[in-house]
Amino acid sequence: MNIKPLLEASLAIQLHVAAAAFAITLSAAIIIVKRGTPAHKLVGRAWVAMLAIICISSFWITGMNGAGYSWIHLLSVGTLLGLVNAVWAVRTGNIRAHKYAMISTMVGALLGAGFFAFMPGRMMNAVLFG
């Protein structure tokens, strides 16, 4: 492991990675806690906040395509829309829609984007594998 690339990265990248690490931890917690409890709601709100920070910070990370946005930024837009949909669903009492929106957001945002973050040539690959 080599943390130097992360320490030398921009504030946006550092915030992005910190929020992602926290979101992964919260993902495990949200799966464990009983649904509908105050703990579930608290962890869920924190998880949504972390995903929003991840998505918003990604718009200041543009190294993949020179200085412009890349196709991976579409994941950020999709994740933000998924979060809005999930929060709207739970607020209107549609627990089934909330559940599926959250599961698909978790899989797409954390697993999908996480997979691409560790591809060869990417910073997190250099951090993890040196």
Side-chain angles (χ1 to χ4, degrees):
M1 180 177 243
N2 179 14
I3 198 160
K4 188 176 178 184
L6 186 56
L7 295 175
E8 294 173 348
S10 69
L11 180 60
I13 291 173
Q14 292 175 354
L15 179 64
H16 188 80
V17 171
F22 194 39
I24 291 166
T25 304
L26 290 171
S27 295
I30 202 75
I31 291 168
I32 294 169
V33 298
K34 185 175 179 184
R35 308 303 176 263
T37 64
H40 177 83
K41 293 174 185 178
L42 178 66
V43 174
R45 286 181 179 123
W47 188 83
V48 167
M50 290 304 104
L51 267 283
I53 289 169
I54 292 165
C55 293
I56 293 167
S57 66
S58 77
F59 296 114
W60 279 268
I61 303 170
T62 57
M64 219 172 128
N65 236 16
Y69 293 121
S70 68
W71 59 269
I72 203 163
H73 288 94
L74 293 174
L75 276 174
S76 295
V77 173
T79 298
L80 287 170
L81 292 173
L83 291 173
V84 169
N85 183 38
V87 171
W88 178 262
V90 78
R91 295 234 178 231
T92 58
N94 190 345
I95 303 305
R96 184 173 183 210
H98 170 74
K99 175 183 174 180
Y100 289 110
M102 283 304 204
I103 289 171
S104 61
T105 299
M106 186 180 293
V107 170
L110 295 179
L111 296 179
F115 172 78
F116 292 110
F118 290 96
M119 300 277 294
R122 303 292 306 270
M123 179 187 296
M124 291 311 296
N125 183 284
V127 169
L128 191 60
F129 302 115

